[in-house]
Short mmCIF file of all heavy atoms in Angstrom, two decimals:
data_model
loop_
_atom_site.label_atom_id
_atom_site.label_comp_id
_atom_site.label_asym_id
_atom_site.label_seq_id
_atom_site.Cartn_x
_atom_site.Cartn_y
_atom_site.Cartn_z
N LEU Q 58 -64.18 71.10 -48.22
CA LEU Q 58 -64.75 69.66 -48.20
C LEU Q 58 -63.93 68.62 -47.53
O LEU Q 58 -64.39 68.01 -46.56
CB LEU Q 58 -65.10 69.25 -49.55
CG LEU Q 58 -66.36 69.84 -50.20
CD1 LEU Q 58 -66.64 69.48 -51.59
CD2 LEU Q 58 -67.53 69.77 -49.27
N PRO Q 59 -62.57 68.64 -47.74
CA PRO Q 59 -61.80 67.61 -46.96
C PRO Q 59 -61.82 67.99 -45.51
O PRO Q 59 -61.70 67.03 -44.58
CB PRO Q 59 -60.42 67.73 -47.62
CG PRO Q 59 -60.55 68.39 -48.94
CD PRO Q 59 -61.77 69.26 -48.92
N LEU Q 60 -61.69 69.22 -45.20
CA LEU Q 60 -61.72 69.61 -43.92
C LEU Q 60 -63.03 69.16 -43.06
O LEU Q 60 -63.11 68.63 -41.97
CB LEU Q 60 -61.47 71.21 -43.59
CG LEU Q 60 -60.20 71.76 -44.11
CD1 LEU Q 60 -60.18 73.31 -44.05
CD2 LEU Q 60 -59.00 71.16 -43.37
N ILE Q 61 -64.08 69.48 -43.73
CA ILE Q 61 -65.52 69.14 -43.24
C ILE Q 61 -65.53 67.54 -42.99
O ILE Q 61 -65.99 67.16 -41.87
CB ILE Q 61 -66.49 69.64 -44.16
CG1 ILE Q 61 -66.63 71.11 -44.14
CG2 ILE Q 61 -67.93 69.04 -43.71
CD1 ILE Q 61 -67.42 71.74 -45.22
N ILE Q 62 -65.12 66.83 -44.01
CA ILE Q 62 -65.21 65.45 -43.85
C ILE Q 62 -64.19 64.81 -42.81
O ILE Q 62 -64.70 64.08 -41.94
CB ILE Q 62 -64.98 64.75 -45.19
CG1 ILE Q 62 -66.00 65.10 -46.20
CG2 ILE Q 62 -64.69 63.23 -45.06
CD1 ILE Q 62 -65.68 64.86 -47.63
N PHE Q 63 -63.11 65.14 -42.90
CA PHE Q 63 -61.99 64.43 -42.15
C PHE Q 63 -62.00 64.99 -40.59
O PHE Q 63 -61.58 64.26 -39.79
CB PHE Q 63 -60.53 64.62 -42.68
CG PHE Q 63 -60.44 63.65 -43.80
CD1 PHE Q 63 -60.62 64.16 -45.13
CD2 PHE Q 63 -60.07 62.42 -43.67
CE1 PHE Q 63 -60.52 63.37 -46.14
CE2 PHE Q 63 -60.00 61.51 -44.68
CZ PHE Q 63 -60.22 61.97 -45.94
N LEU Q 64 -62.46 66.20 -40.30
CA LEU Q 64 -62.65 66.65 -38.92
C LEU Q 64 -63.78 65.97 -38.32
O LEU Q 64 -63.85 65.98 -37.02
CB LEU Q 64 -62.82 68.17 -38.91
CG LEU Q 64 -61.55 69.06 -39.18
CD1 LEU Q 64 -61.82 70.50 -39.13
CD2 LEU Q 64 -60.46 68.73 -38.19
N SER Q 65 -64.75 65.36 -38.90
CA SER Q 65 -65.86 64.88 -38.45
C SER Q 65 -65.84 63.31 -38.40
O SER Q 65 -66.79 62.69 -37.76
CB SER Q 65 -67.19 65.41 -38.99
OG SER Q 65 -67.13 65.12 -40.30
N LEU Q 66 -64.92 62.65 -39.06
CA LEU Q 66 -64.91 61.24 -39.03
C LEU Q 66 -64.75 60.52 -37.73
O LEU Q 66 -65.54 59.51 -37.42
CB LEU Q 66 -63.75 60.78 -39.86
CG LEU Q 66 -63.76 60.65 -41.44
CD1 LEU Q 66 -62.67 60.23 -42.01
CD2 LEU Q 66 -64.95 59.74 -41.76
N ALA Q 67 -63.88 60.94 -36.86
CA ALA Q 67 -63.75 60.26 -35.51
C ALA Q 67 -65.04 60.58 -34.66
O ALA Q 67 -65.51 59.65 -33.95
CB ALA Q 67 -62.50 60.79 -34.79
N MET Q 68 -65.57 61.68 -34.83
CA MET Q 68 -66.83 62.04 -34.00
C MET Q 68 -67.96 61.14 -34.46
O MET Q 68 -68.79 60.61 -33.63
CB MET Q 68 -67.20 63.55 -34.21
CG MET Q 68 -68.41 63.77 -33.30
SD MET Q 68 -68.98 65.56 -33.51
CE MET Q 68 -69.71 65.50 -35.06
N THR Q 69 -68.05 60.77 -35.70
CA THR Q 69 -69.03 59.89 -36.30
C THR Q 69 -68.84 58.49 -35.63
O THR Q 69 -69.84 57.84 -35.38
CB THR Q 69 -68.94 59.83 -37.86
OG1 THR Q 69 -69.13 61.08 -38.36
CG2 THR Q 69 -70.08 58.93 -38.35
N GLN Q 70 -67.68 57.95 -35.67
CA GLN Q 70 -67.29 56.80 -34.96
C GLN Q 70 -67.77 56.78 -33.47
O GLN Q 70 -68.31 55.77 -33.01
CB GLN Q 70 -65.77 56.38 -35.10
CG GLN Q 70 -65.27 55.20 -34.37
CD GLN Q 70 -66.01 53.90 -34.86
OE1 GLN Q 70 -66.55 53.84 -35.91
NE2 GLN Q 70 -66.14 52.98 -33.95
N MET Q 71 -67.33 57.86 -32.78
CA MET Q 71 -67.80 57.93 -31.38
C MET Q 71 -69.22 57.82 -31.32
O MET Q 71 -69.69 57.19 -30.25
CB MET Q 71 -67.20 59.27 -30.85
CG MET Q 71 -67.53 59.45 -29.47
SD MET Q 71 -67.19 61.26 -28.81
CE MET Q 71 -68.43 62.14 -29.71
N HIS Q 72 -70.13 58.29 -32.06
CA HIS Q 72 -71.52 58.17 -31.95
C HIS Q 72 -72.06 56.99 -32.58
O HIS Q 72 -73.30 56.90 -32.51
CB HIS Q 72 -72.15 59.50 -32.51
CG HIS Q 72 -71.87 60.74 -31.69
ND1 HIS Q 72 -72.43 60.99 -30.54
CD2 HIS Q 72 -71.10 61.89 -32.04
CE1 HIS Q 72 -71.99 62.11 -30.05
NE2 HIS Q 72 -71.32 62.69 -30.90
N GLY Q 73 -71.29 56.16 -33.07
CA GLY Q 73 -71.78 54.94 -33.72
C GLY Q 73 -72.41 55.13 -35.01
O GLY Q 73 -73.29 54.42 -35.36
N GLY Q 74 -71.94 56.20 -35.80
CA GLY Q 74 -72.73 56.63 -37.01
C GLY Q 74 -72.14 55.85 -38.21
O GLY Q 74 -72.84 56.06 -39.36
N HIS Q 75 -71.09 55.05 -38.14
CA HIS Q 75 -70.56 54.50 -39.34
C HIS Q 75 -71.32 53.25 -39.63
O HIS Q 75 -71.96 52.62 -38.72
CB HIS Q 75 -68.95 54.22 -39.23
CG HIS Q 75 -68.22 55.30 -39.30
ND1 HIS Q 75 -68.03 56.20 -40.41
CD2 HIS Q 75 -67.31 55.89 -38.31
CE1 HIS Q 75 -67.18 57.14 -40.11
NE2 HIS Q 75 -66.83 56.89 -38.72
N ILE Q 76 -71.47 52.88 -40.91
CA ILE Q 76 -72.13 51.62 -41.27
C ILE Q 76 -71.38 50.44 -40.77
O ILE Q 76 -70.08 50.47 -40.79
CB ILE Q 76 -72.15 51.54 -42.92
CG1 ILE Q 76 -73.01 52.71 -43.37
CG2 ILE Q 76 -72.71 50.27 -43.40
CD1 ILE Q 76 -72.95 52.87 -44.88
N LYS Q 77 -72.15 49.50 -40.25
CA LYS Q 77 -71.60 48.26 -39.83
C LYS Q 77 -72.20 47.04 -40.39
O LYS Q 77 -73.50 47.23 -40.61
CB LYS Q 77 -71.47 48.20 -38.28
CG LYS Q 77 -72.81 48.03 -37.62
CD LYS Q 77 -72.71 48.04 -36.16
CE LYS Q 77 -74.17 47.86 -35.59
NZ LYS Q 77 -74.11 47.46 -34.23
N VAL Q 78 -71.62 46.00 -40.58
CA VAL Q 78 -72.29 44.70 -41.13
C VAL Q 78 -72.08 43.78 -40.03
O VAL Q 78 -71.00 43.48 -39.52
CB VAL Q 78 -71.38 44.34 -42.47
CG1 VAL Q 78 -72.08 42.97 -42.96
CG2 VAL Q 78 -71.41 45.31 -43.43
N VAL Q 79 -73.24 43.22 -39.64
CA VAL Q 79 -73.27 42.27 -38.51
C VAL Q 79 -73.74 40.82 -38.93
O VAL Q 79 -74.29 40.15 -38.15
CB VAL Q 79 -74.23 42.74 -37.46
CG1 VAL Q 79 -73.71 43.98 -36.86
CG2 VAL Q 79 -75.68 42.98 -37.88
N LEU Q 80 -73.54 40.51 -40.17
CA LEU Q 80 -74.05 39.31 -40.79
C LEU Q 80 -73.48 38.12 -39.95
O LEU Q 80 -74.19 37.17 -39.67
CB LEU Q 80 -73.68 39.27 -42.27
CG LEU Q 80 -74.12 38.00 -43.01
CD1 LEU Q 80 -75.60 38.12 -43.07
CD2 LEU Q 80 -73.53 38.00 -44.49
N LEU Q 81 -72.20 38.20 -39.67
CA LEU Q 81 -71.64 37.06 -38.93
C LEU Q 81 -71.70 37.18 -37.43
O LEU Q 81 -72.09 36.25 -36.77
CB LEU Q 81 -69.99 36.93 -39.28
CG LEU Q 81 -69.82 36.48 -40.70
CD1 LEU Q 81 -68.41 36.50 -41.00
CD2 LEU Q 81 -70.48 35.17 -41.08
N THR Q 82 -71.42 38.42 -37.01
CA THR Q 82 -71.45 38.56 -35.47
C THR Q 82 -72.82 38.48 -34.89
O THR Q 82 -72.81 38.16 -33.64
CB THR Q 82 -70.72 39.94 -35.13
OG1 THR Q 82 -71.55 40.92 -35.90
CG2 THR Q 82 -69.33 40.09 -35.52
N GLN Q 83 -73.80 38.69 -35.45
CA GLN Q 83 -75.14 38.69 -34.80
C GLN Q 83 -75.52 37.20 -34.55
O GLN Q 83 -76.36 36.87 -33.72
CB GLN Q 83 -76.25 39.33 -35.72
CG GLN Q 83 -76.53 38.50 -36.90
CD GLN Q 83 -77.59 39.20 -37.71
OE1 GLN Q 83 -78.09 40.27 -37.43
NE2 GLN Q 83 -77.90 38.65 -38.89
N ARG Q 84 -74.90 36.14 -35.06
CA ARG Q 84 -75.11 34.79 -34.83
C ARG Q 84 -74.11 34.03 -34.03
O ARG Q 84 -74.24 32.95 -33.64
CB ARG Q 84 -75.33 34.06 -36.20
CG ARG Q 84 -76.44 34.46 -36.88
CD ARG Q 84 -76.68 33.62 -38.13
NE ARG Q 84 -77.88 33.89 -38.90
CZ ARG Q 84 -78.48 34.89 -39.21
NH1 ARG Q 84 -78.19 35.96 -38.80
NH2 ARG Q 84 -79.63 34.93 -40.08
N LEU Q 85 -72.92 34.88 -33.65
CA LEU Q 85 -72.00 34.40 -32.83
C LEU Q 85 -72.39 34.46 -31.23
O LEU Q 85 -73.15 35.30 -30.99
CB LEU Q 85 -70.66 35.09 -32.99
CG LEU Q 85 -69.98 34.83 -34.28
CD1 LEU Q 85 -68.71 35.90 -34.37
CD2 LEU Q 85 -69.50 33.39 -34.55
N PRO Q 86 -71.84 33.51 -30.47
CA PRO Q 86 -71.99 33.78 -28.98
C PRO Q 86 -71.38 35.18 -28.61
O PRO Q 86 -70.51 35.65 -29.22
CB PRO Q 86 -71.24 32.45 -28.40
CG PRO Q 86 -70.96 31.69 -29.45
CD PRO Q 86 -71.15 32.34 -30.78
N GLN Q 87 -71.95 35.70 -27.39
CA GLN Q 87 -71.62 36.95 -27.12
C GLN Q 87 -70.06 37.06 -26.92
O GLN Q 87 -69.48 38.21 -27.37
CB GLN Q 87 -72.27 37.32 -25.75
CG GLN Q 87 -72.07 38.74 -25.40
CD GLN Q 87 -72.78 39.09 -24.06
OE1 GLN Q 87 -73.40 38.24 -23.35
NE2 GLN Q 87 -72.88 40.25 -23.81
N GLY Q 88 -69.35 36.27 -26.42
CA GLY Q 88 -67.96 36.41 -26.09
C GLY Q 88 -67.14 36.32 -27.50
O GLY Q 88 -66.30 37.20 -27.71
N LEU Q 89 -67.54 35.54 -28.47
CA LEU Q 89 -66.88 35.44 -29.68
C LEU Q 89 -67.26 36.82 -30.53
O LEU Q 89 -66.32 37.42 -31.25
CB LEU Q 89 -67.29 34.33 -30.50
CG LEU Q 89 -66.66 33.00 -30.14
CD1 LEU Q 89 -67.23 31.90 -30.97
CD2 LEU Q 89 -65.19 33.10 -30.32
N ALA Q 90 -68.57 37.22 -30.37
CA ALA Q 90 -68.82 38.51 -31.13
C ALA Q 90 -68.08 39.66 -30.51
O ALA Q 90 -67.68 40.52 -31.33
CB ALA Q 90 -70.41 38.73 -30.97
N ARG Q 91 -67.83 39.78 -29.23
CA ARG Q 91 -67.12 40.75 -28.63
C ARG Q 91 -65.68 40.71 -29.14
O ARG Q 91 -65.07 41.74 -29.50
CB ARG Q 91 -67.09 40.68 -27.05
CG ARG Q 91 -66.24 41.76 -26.39
CD ARG Q 91 -66.39 41.61 -24.80
NE ARG Q 91 -67.66 41.80 -24.32
CZ ARG Q 91 -68.25 42.90 -24.20
NH1 ARG Q 91 -67.71 44.16 -24.41
NH2 ARG Q 91 -69.48 43.00 -23.62
N GLY Q 92 -65.10 39.42 -29.29
CA GLY Q 92 -63.66 39.35 -29.71
C GLY Q 92 -63.67 39.75 -31.17
O GLY Q 92 -62.74 40.38 -31.56
N ALA Q 93 -64.55 39.52 -31.95
CA ALA Q 93 -64.50 39.85 -33.28
C ALA Q 93 -64.68 41.33 -33.52
O ALA Q 93 -64.07 41.97 -34.33
CB ALA Q 93 -65.72 39.19 -34.10
N LYS Q 94 -65.55 41.89 -32.66
CA LYS Q 94 -65.71 43.39 -32.62
C LYS Q 94 -64.34 44.06 -32.31
O LYS Q 94 -63.94 45.01 -32.93
CB LYS Q 94 -66.74 43.86 -31.79
CG LYS Q 94 -67.13 45.27 -31.78
CD LYS Q 94 -68.36 45.50 -31.07
CE LYS Q 94 -68.97 46.85 -31.62
NZ LYS Q 94 -70.34 47.01 -31.33
N VAL Q 95 -63.73 43.53 -31.27
CA VAL Q 95 -62.38 44.12 -30.82
C VAL Q 95 -61.39 43.98 -31.96
O VAL Q 95 -60.53 44.96 -32.30
CB VAL Q 95 -61.86 43.45 -29.50
CG1 VAL Q 95 -60.42 43.90 -29.17
CG2 VAL Q 95 -62.71 43.77 -28.42
N LEU Q 96 -61.26 42.77 -32.59
CA LEU Q 96 -60.27 42.59 -33.75
C LEU Q 96 -60.67 43.66 -34.83
O LEU Q 96 -59.76 44.19 -35.51
CB LEU Q 96 -60.36 41.19 -34.17
CG LEU Q 96 -59.65 40.16 -33.28
CD1 LEU Q 96 -59.88 38.76 -33.84
CD2 LEU Q 96 -58.24 40.58 -33.24
N ALA Q 97 -61.90 43.77 -35.23
CA ALA Q 97 -62.30 44.69 -36.29
C ALA Q 97 -61.89 46.09 -35.96
O ALA Q 97 -61.40 46.78 -36.86
CB ALA Q 97 -63.76 44.60 -36.53
N MET Q 98 -62.08 46.52 -34.72
CA MET Q 98 -61.67 47.97 -34.36
C MET Q 98 -60.20 48.10 -34.27
O MET Q 98 -59.73 49.19 -34.59
CB MET Q 98 -62.43 48.26 -33.04
CG MET Q 98 -63.89 48.46 -33.13
SD MET Q 98 -64.67 49.12 -31.63
CE MET Q 98 -64.81 47.64 -30.83
N LEU Q 99 -59.51 47.07 -33.93
CA LEU Q 99 -57.98 47.18 -33.91
C LEU Q 99 -57.61 47.20 -35.42
O LEU Q 99 -56.53 47.93 -35.62
CB LEU Q 99 -57.42 45.85 -33.19
CG LEU Q 99 -57.47 45.98 -31.59
CD1 LEU Q 99 -56.93 44.66 -31.01
CD2 LEU Q 99 -56.78 47.11 -31.08
N ALA Q 100 -58.29 46.45 -36.27
CA ALA Q 100 -57.88 46.48 -37.62
C ALA Q 100 -58.07 47.95 -38.33
O ALA Q 100 -57.28 48.43 -39.07
CB ALA Q 100 -58.61 45.41 -38.47
N GLY Q 101 -59.22 48.36 -37.85
CA GLY Q 101 -59.57 49.93 -38.31
C GLY Q 101 -58.53 50.90 -37.74
O GLY Q 101 -58.03 51.72 -38.38
#
Side-chain angles (χ1 to χ4, degrees):
L58 288 175
L60 296 174
I61 292 165
I62 292 166
F63 287 95
L64 284 178
S65 58
L66 272 177
M68 186 181 75
T69 304
Q70 172 62 26
M71 178 187 72
H72 289 296
H75 289 293
I76 295 172
K77 65 177 182 170
V78 179
V79 294
L80 187 64
L81 296 174
T82 57
Q83 70 183 358
R84 291 182 172 46
L85 290 175
Q87 187 177 10
L89 285 176
R91 179 179 299 280
K94 189 168 197 164
V95 169
L96 284 176
M98 286 187 281
L99 288 174

